[in-house]
């Protein structure tokens, strides 16, 4: 993977100063850099780190004096965080999957595998599957009947992709993800307690025994181009239509999408978030870690939700949300501050009641308050 | 999978009108239906969708005029949601697993495989395992020594079932689930900080270095009949007894059950919920998505908990819960409403204190409130 | 696995009374014990259970009269919970993985496998991998290029360990865990809405279309000695340095660690907890189930966080935390109590305002309060 500093600068569209012929084998934080590492020092605070490490080349902040920092060459980039994309792409060796189809893969004879594809051992590919050109399918992946995957896919070990799924180009899927599992959809012959609760917000006329009959998932999953799915993420197929993920959307590890969920384009869904059945999420939505979206609701375009937020009702487009239940982020932060002051508020209120009662005004009696914990579970 | 409309009506116990000989290959939402799809239009709001799609047959709401809707046949069902179970079951092609045992499966010679079972490639079956009749074991499943599984099991790729597990009939297990992993159980030679906290609700006499010794899990997992386990769900084995799941209970994707947990019959545990070690959950309990149940507590029969609820103490039977910490759902909704009004309450209280102070009554002084944020982390 | 009672007593350093030659094949709760089970009855409350079961030997509470309890032998231990570690270790048969390398494993010829290692079928081991002595690698594990694993590892089915990972001795990894997946790190050419929100706590100047460019993860994962990783847990590799887990730390099932995370020594991270990218966690930290740690923050040594806690800002060492957002546990419990009393506080405040208004003091007007729900999502 070794490249010259000049090649990297060219790939990034960055300005090069000093020795462009320096060989670069990796990237590193400044203090830990070896002589073939490109030190990433986009901020003056890293200057001292450079003197601890052994880097000969670095990415530097605008205006830095690379000679004085003991370097032999340097490159300069306008938006450092964005430059990271190019630097790491240039230096990523990628997974090692031997070209061709491994003899211990089990490929259905009706499957069509694109030109230049690499398929590892212990892979199964079902009837009528079509996989695009240059796909890299790592060991221990299963792709079920009639599924279609575009060009340049990278699918890592342990992934399962169910039947009749369609996926666009440049798909990346991390280990042990599951795409196209059956939805979690069960029904009782009579209306169930959970159905009743939803209508009454907590009241039940009577509790009946009930057992669950399975609604099968005969829909599928449709995934656009440039989608990335995290490790052990799970995406259920639709009941009779498709669960759908728009182009450019990225799902982190352990994300769960229920049946019939529709997620728009260019969304980021962070780790351990879950979207319940039949919810619809717009374009460019960003959900932080451990967010939940209730079933059958709508989350508008450009919504951003902070970590741990539970979105339990429709969210208009552009809304910034936080908390359980989700409300506007600034309101939530204000509410949390009020809650931290509740002890004092409670004391002040008690004091005020006492003052007013003692002043002889009517209607205030100071009773015992211990009964009010009774509603805890 | 093509069937006639009359066959489907008979399977559902539904009333048929029109041409029962129409061939049905799938089901669809009305607007997206092709000529061999059964359009699902159980409500008058779908009438316009029918005119957009190309369905010749539909499931209709009671009283609909199928001829006027441009259909050639229709069926009528009393409870549409329940009818979905029958319709989707009739039209689900199911997974394609070739009959017999694949030559690339590694089956211990002492294992007993039931009549009519299908076992895919890259499966391992351990010493003394017994698997019932007509089991369908997909590729890349591992079943460890002495485990016993009933008739008609469907086990999908990547599943691991540990040793000495017992599972009833009609078991369905989705991809990459893990059943019978070791419990998360560690102990320190002296009482640990975490043990102390539990007793004192947050106070520690002194902080000591501590390292963890493993308590091995030599118990097992016992699963009843008609149980379904979601993709990447994890179920730990018991320490010395069995983790247990009652008949008819369904676990969604990414659910976690700790060691020694007992879950009753006919429960629904939705996605990403977790039940900590040694908790006991009654029959017909419904937990929404991302619910947590603390260790060693009891959740009574017929409890229903809304999404995101954290049940941290015993819950009596029939209780409907919501929130963190869990309290009765209607109380929680009222509390959330009060919290949204805290800003106004705080202003009113300040105004009232000022009024009363100015009126010359005793004991009220308006101090600076900024100190009260100190207890944030 | 049958041993004598005397052998078990010696392994535990426990006091033996009665017949040390009794053969013990397992351990059990007293009431369910068979004649070859060691009944675990460390507390007098189990006395009645002993009479229901058929145990001939038991672990008893100090001072118990084993003869009167119908036993033929007994052992006595000082700290019963700690003794469980030794008892279960002595009686755990462990997984059955045949010695040597299975012919259906695909091992790169440059890999070095330690003496006495056992490797199951359908395993892949990449270029330059080094695995220590006596490793037990179960079926369907993949270990990628240049990864190094110490002695006495136990790696269970379905695990994926990415390239260039380093792991110490006595590593235990449960089924379907993923170690070394790519970080979830994306960037937009211009500052994204999520970046802006962080700076403004919720305000956005304008909403722009944006799509995501991938920052590749060219760092690795470094894991110390005596680490245990739960089933379907996921650990992302670092961007340019290593995600790191200190010696003695244990991760439960479905835990997620983001890229660049550093977790110290002897920590316990319970089920379904997640630590977001670049967060640093000290030594001996205990996180309960479903805890979240925000990205780029610091959690000090000896912090303990209760189940469901979301740690959103730096936590000083020794802090005991609870809630969303995390605050000190005792303060949180007090706040939750105040919240349960908000209904009454609200009534009292309204009543007081009315009283004061009627007494003719200035400035109080009782307006309609219905407008205050407007900020809900």
């Amino acid at each position: 993977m070794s490249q010259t500093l000049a090649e990297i600068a060219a790939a990034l569209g960055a300005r090069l100063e000093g020795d462009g012929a320096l060989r670069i084998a990796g990237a590193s934080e400044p203090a830990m850099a070896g002589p073939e590492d490109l030190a990433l020092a986009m901020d003056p605070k890293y200057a001292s780190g450079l003197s601890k490490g052994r880097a000969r080349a670095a990415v530097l902040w605008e205006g830095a004096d690379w000679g004085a920092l003991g370097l032999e060459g340097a490159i300069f980039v306008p938006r450092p965080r964005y430059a990271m994309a190019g630097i790491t792409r240039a230096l990523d060796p990628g997974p090692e999957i031997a070209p061709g189809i491994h003899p211990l893969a089990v490929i259905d004879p009706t499957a069509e595998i694109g030109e230049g594809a690499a398929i590892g051992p212990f892979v199964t590919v079902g009837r009528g599957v079509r996989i695009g050109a240059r796909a890299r399918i790592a060991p221990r992946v299963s792709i079920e009947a009639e599924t279609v995957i575009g060009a340049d896919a990278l699918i890592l070990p342990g992934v399962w992709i169910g039947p009749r799924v369609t996926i666009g180009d440049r798909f990346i899927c991390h280990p042990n993800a599951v795409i196209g599992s059956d939805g979690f959809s069960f029904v009782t012959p009579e209306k169930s307690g959970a159905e009743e609760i939803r209508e009454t917000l907590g009241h039940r006329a009577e509790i009946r025994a009930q057992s669950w009959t399975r609604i099968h998932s005969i829909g599928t999953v449709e995934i656009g181009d440039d989608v990335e799915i995290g490790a052990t993420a799970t995406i259920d197929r639709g009941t009779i239509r498709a669960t759908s993920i728009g182009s450019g959307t990225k799902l982190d590890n352990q994300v769960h999408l229920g049946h019939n969920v529709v997620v728009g384009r260019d969304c980021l869904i962070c780790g351990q978030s879950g979207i319940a059945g039949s919810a619809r999420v717009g374009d460019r939505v960003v959900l932080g870690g451990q967010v939940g979206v209730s079933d059958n609701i709508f989350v508008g375009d450009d919504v951003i939700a902070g970590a741990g937020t539970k979105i339990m009702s429709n969210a208009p487009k552009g809304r910034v949300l936080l908390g359980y239940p989700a409300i506007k982020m600034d309101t939530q932060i204000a509410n949390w501050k009020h809650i931290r002051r509740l002890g004092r508020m409670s004391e002040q209120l008690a004091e005020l009641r006492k003052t007013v009662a003692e002043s002889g005004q009517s209607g205030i009696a100071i009773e015992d308050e211990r009964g009010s914990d009774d509603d805890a579970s």
Side-chain angles (χ1 to χ4, degrees), chain A residues 315-331:
Chain A
K317 69 179 181 177
R319 185 59 57 93
V320 181
L321 297 169
L322 185 65
Y324 173 37
I327 58 173
K328 280 163 61 177
M329 184 178 279
D330 47 8
T331 310

Side-chain angles (χ1 to χ4, degrees), chain A residues 16-260:
Chain A
L16 168 70
E17 297 188 5
D19 182 2
L22 284 168
R23 299 226 60 94
I24 304 296
S28 173
E29 299 194 339
M32 291 184 284
E36 294 215 326
D37 281 337
L38 180 67
L40 303 182
M42 287 91 148
D43 189 286
K45 71 183 176 192
Y46 292 116
S48 65
L50 280 170
S51 63
K52 288 178 204 142
R54 295 180 295 146
R56 300 165 66 191
V59 189
L60 294 180
W61 63 99
E62 201 54 58
D65 179 349
W66 54 272
L69 289 163
L71 300 167
E72 300 169 35
I75 58 180
F76 296 84
V77 294
R79 175 156 147 80
R81 186 165 161 73
Y82 188 62
M84 283 296 290
I87 293 166
T88 56
R89 183 174 59 243
L91 294 168
D92 185 357
E96 302 189 358
I97 307 171
I101 298 176
H102 194 281
L104 287 171
V106 174
I107 315 289
D108 190 277
T110 64
E112 297 174 24
I113 311 293
E115 201 173 357
I119 298 186
F122 317 129
V123 165
T124 65
V125 174
R127 178 181 55 75
V129 166
R130 284 184 287 141
I131 298 175
R134 298 172 300 281
R136 291 172 291 166
I137 315 282
R140 299 192 295 107
V141 165
S142 296
I143 301 172
E144 302 291 348
E146 297 183 15
T147 282
V148 176
I149 301 173
D152 298 299
L154 171 60
I155 304 179
L156 289 160
V159 168
W160 182 81
I161 303 177
R164 300 183 302 285
V165 173
T166 62
I167 300 176
D169 293 337
R170 295 172 297 282
F171 180 58
I172 298 177
C173 191
H174 292 286
N176 289 352
V178 171
I179 300 173
S181 40
D182 286 359
F184 192 71
S185 188
F186 297 90
V187 63
T188 49
E190 309 293 321
K191 186 181 284 190
S192 71
E195 284 174 273
E196 191 176 346
I197 292 304
R198 285 187 175 243
E199 292 167 9
T200 63
L201 295 180
H203 295 282
R204 267 192 287 186
E206 102 189 91
I207 293 173
R208 289 179 304 270
Q210 54 190 19
S211 74
W212 303 99
T213 301
R214 187 168 204 269
I215 294 178
H216 288 241
S217 298
I218 60 177
T220 181
V221 180
E222 293 172 359
I223 296 179
D225 295 325
D226 299 296
V227 169
E228 185 161 342
I229 305 290
T232 78
T234 57
I235 300 166
D236 280 352
R237 59 197 312 107
T239 308
I240 58 167
R241 52 184 169 89
T243 302
S244 167
I245 301 175
S247 290
T249 285
K250 321 292 184 183
L251 271 57
D252 197 0
N253 297 352
Q254 301 192 27
V255 165
H256 168 61
L257 302 191
H259 58 281
N260 303 335

